[in-house]
Amino acid sequence: MQYEAVIGLEVHAQLLTHSKIFCGCANQFGSPPNTNVCPVCLGMPGTLPVLNRKVVEFSIRAGLATHCAIAPKSVWARKNYFYPDLPKNYQISQYELPLCTGGYLDIEVEGQTRRIGITRIHMEEDAGKLIHDPAQPVSYVDLNRTGTPLMEIVSEPDLRTPEEAAAYLKALRDILVYLEICDGNMEEGSFRCDANISLRPVGQAEFGTRAELKNMNSFRNVQKALEYEIRRQRAVLDDGGSVIQETRLWDAGANKTLSMRGKEEAHDYRYFPDPDLLPLIVEPAWVEEIRAGLPELPDKKRRRFEEQYGLPAYDAGVLTMSRPLADYFEAVASACGAPKAASNWIMSELMGALNAEGKEITASPIAAGQLAELIRMVESGELSGKLAKQVFAEMMASGQDPGAVVAAKGLKQVSDEGPLRELLQKIFAANPGQVEQYKAGKDKLLGFFVGQVMKETKGQANPQVLNDLVKKMLSE
Ligand code: ADP
Ligand code: MG
Ligand code: ZN
């Protein structure tokens, strides 16, 4: 039997607001335990939540960027459950009336574009964290994270392969990072994903029974967990069994998913509208203001780079991976007027050197204007490609302008015929045999003369000028 996978993803993204969603505590990762807390986020009786307007603004940004409708009225709901990291015993979330609905995201897998539906985006608060001490039979509770603003982004079951799921996640993360509303760090948990997956016989319209996978903290692990789950469910079905609806945990060490809880143990959260919070009314004018302030998104920027700068799709994809990188490229390209050369220098030399030092583009020792100047010197023939690389290494180490490096190191390319002619005359005089052979038709000796000059000038002779000059002088 041939099966097709059906996958839907639930993403939780922490928002980069300064303060928490319902109180003024700092929204900060890595503080000492229980230092970013107050009576509100500690769930003390008698306290009241006050909504952080930025959380709504950020979520509207996400909704607009993913083509969702923004609800003029949405409602906060209590999701009730007990756990030691949840002091109120309920999480404030949105349920029946979420902020954003009915959007989509286009992804590209193996040259094919597919449109993946986004069911909804709602806002909620994060819970705290339990830290289990392996050395002692105790657990610690850190409530710094309670009240951290989250968006939950739920996709339609439109994904069909683990590759598509990974592509969707990457595209979604890139958008949130571009919008500057989430740092997208899967390892630190600021961008988390639960994956729902079922199989159905190819050609069947109804979906099969799904498993929900948790605990994947990288794109790679999401893909691996889904691949494992496809094999597992296929084996169950081929055996004549049926998949049971359950939550399974990905075990990255063992490379498999393990059952965590079945449907019978699934929570009944007893959602109801939160009586402490008014329904959220969003004025259309505010939505339009936010829409007008949206940055150019990765997809659009990539296409523009291909068209405006004539870059290959690959270059455009790499250069638009982050906004600062794209901005850097544009600054270099417009200052030097040679976009493809700018792309080559950034993708190979600069990104290579930055990676080696573990630096981001924002910490580049070489400013965009300096790299543009270096490229301009190559384009005009002042520097050969080889010398330019030496100058680049020096700029990387010292942050100096290319002109200063050239002057200090005497690296300028010799393009004047005068000194090259003088040098060649000496070389011809010292090698009369080779001159004779060349004149007798042994063209290959051109390389010998060029090599001699390069040796004398430490590679600073302009190769084009030199080649032409050798030919000209020996035919005189
Ligand atoms: P829950 O609240 O139990 O997680 P939802 O209805 O919100 O359930 O669905 C969660 C996710 O599961 C969505 O992303 C949806 O696309 C996906 N999903 C729903 N049914 C299936 C299915 N049969 N197979 C795979 N994914 C599914
Ligand atoms: Mg779910
Ligand atoms: Zn607080």
Side-chain angles (χ1 to χ4, degrees), residues 255-439:
N255 263 312
K256 55 184 183 182
T257 62
L258 301 168
S259 180
M260 181 171 114
R261 60 166 181 255
K263 201 184 179 183
E264 313 75 49
E265 303 152 73
H267 295 120
D268 178 354
Y269 294 116
R270 313 257 159 177
Y271 281 99
F272 64 88
D274 192 313
D276 287 344
L277 287 155
L278 290 165
L280 175 67
I281 307 296
V282 172
E283 300 290 343
W286 190 36
V287 175
E288 289 321 304
E289 196 186 310
I290 296 170
R291 192 196 304 275
L294 287 182
E296 184 181 36
L297 294 171
D299 232 15
K300 202 162 167 206
K301 204 185 273 290
R302 191 160 40 81
R303 265 174 282 141
R304 178 169 66 80
F305 276 23
E306 289 180 41
E307 283 162 24
Q308 181 179 341
Y309 299 111
L311 293 182
Y314 177 80
D315 295 38
V318 172
L319 295 170
T320 52
M321 274 190 320
S322 81
R323 244 168 103 180
L325 181 62
D327 291 347
Y328 188 97
F329 163 77
E330 292 208 89
V332 177
S334 69
C336 75
K340 180 58 182 151
S343 165
N344 291 346
W345 274 95
I346 292 170
M347 291 202 309
S348 54
E349 301 304 318
L350 184 63
M351 286 172 73
L354 291 173
N355 276 342
E357 295 181 21
K359 283 188 178 146
E360 299 286 324
I361 186 75
T362 44
S364 170
I366 303 179
Q370 293 176 309
L371 184 58
E373 175 59 13
L374 179 67
I375 294 169
R376 201 199 50 71
M377 289 168 90
V378 178
E379 298 283 307
S380 72
E382 276 169 73
L383 282 177
S384 68
K386 210 169 151 191
L387 286 176
K389 285 188 185 167
Q390 287 180 44
V391 175
F392 176 88
E394 191 55 37
M395 290 167 73
M396 199 63 202
S398 68
Q400 281 179 297
D401 285 343
V405 175
V406 167
K409 302 243 158 187
L411 289 174
K412 220 175 178 82
Q413 177 159 270
V414 183
S415 300
D416 284 351
E417 281 196 12
L420 295 178
R421 184 179 281 276
E422 241 172 72
L423 213 68
L424 278 169
Q425 270 158 357
K426 279 188 208 148
I427 290 164
F428 293 153
N431 303 281
Q434 276 84 349
V435 171
E436 208 145 295
Q437 286 176 41
Y438 179 89
K439 286 188 168 163

Side-chain angles (χ1 to χ4, degrees), residues 75-111:
V75 170
W76 299 98
R78 287 189 183 180
K79 179 179 178 177
N80 301 279
Y81 65 95
F82 168 81
Y83 206 64
D85 66 6
L86 187 73
K88 294 198 302 293
N89 288 346
Y90 63 85
Q91 178 190 24
I92 303 176
S93 180
Q94 296 193 301
Y95 189 57
E96 276 171 354
L97 289 173
L99 180 64
C100 316
T101 53
Y104 64 82
L105 203 66
D106 287 334
I107 59 166
E108 216 172 283
V109 175
E110 285 163 12

Side-chain angles (χ1 to χ4, degrees), residues 190-234:
S190 46
F191 185 87
R192 318 194 278 266
C193 167
D194 299 339
N196 295 269
I197 175 164
S198 61
L199 295 189
R200 63 177 170 188
V202 169
Q204 178 184 306
E206 309 95 85
F207 294 151
T209 306
R210 71 181 145 126
E212 179 168 352
L213 313 181
K214 289 181 178 287
N215 201 37
M216 295 90 62
N217 64 352
S218 68
F219 292 115
R220 185 85 203 99
N221 278 331
V222 171
Q223 205 171 322
K224 276 162 71 177
L226 287 168
E227 280 160 4
Y228 173 85
E229 196 57 22
I230 289 173
R231 291 195 299 275
R232 187 191 70 83
Q233 293 188 14
R234 186 192 293 137

Side-chain angles (χ1 to χ4, degrees), residues 5-11 79 95 117 119-120 152-160 194-199 206-212 245 269 271:
V6 171
I7 300 166
L9 301 180
E10 294 167 89
V11 166
K79 179 179 178 177
Y95 189 57
T119 317
R120 56 188 278 152
E152 179 171 336
I153 303 160
V154 182
S155 88
E156 290 290 309
D158 288 345
L159 299 154
R160 292 292 171 267
D194 299 339
N196 295 269
I197 175 164
S198 61
L199 295 189
E206 309 95 85
F207 294 151
T209 306
R210 71 181 145 126
E212 179 168 352
Q245 190 172 336
Y269 294 116
Y271 281 99

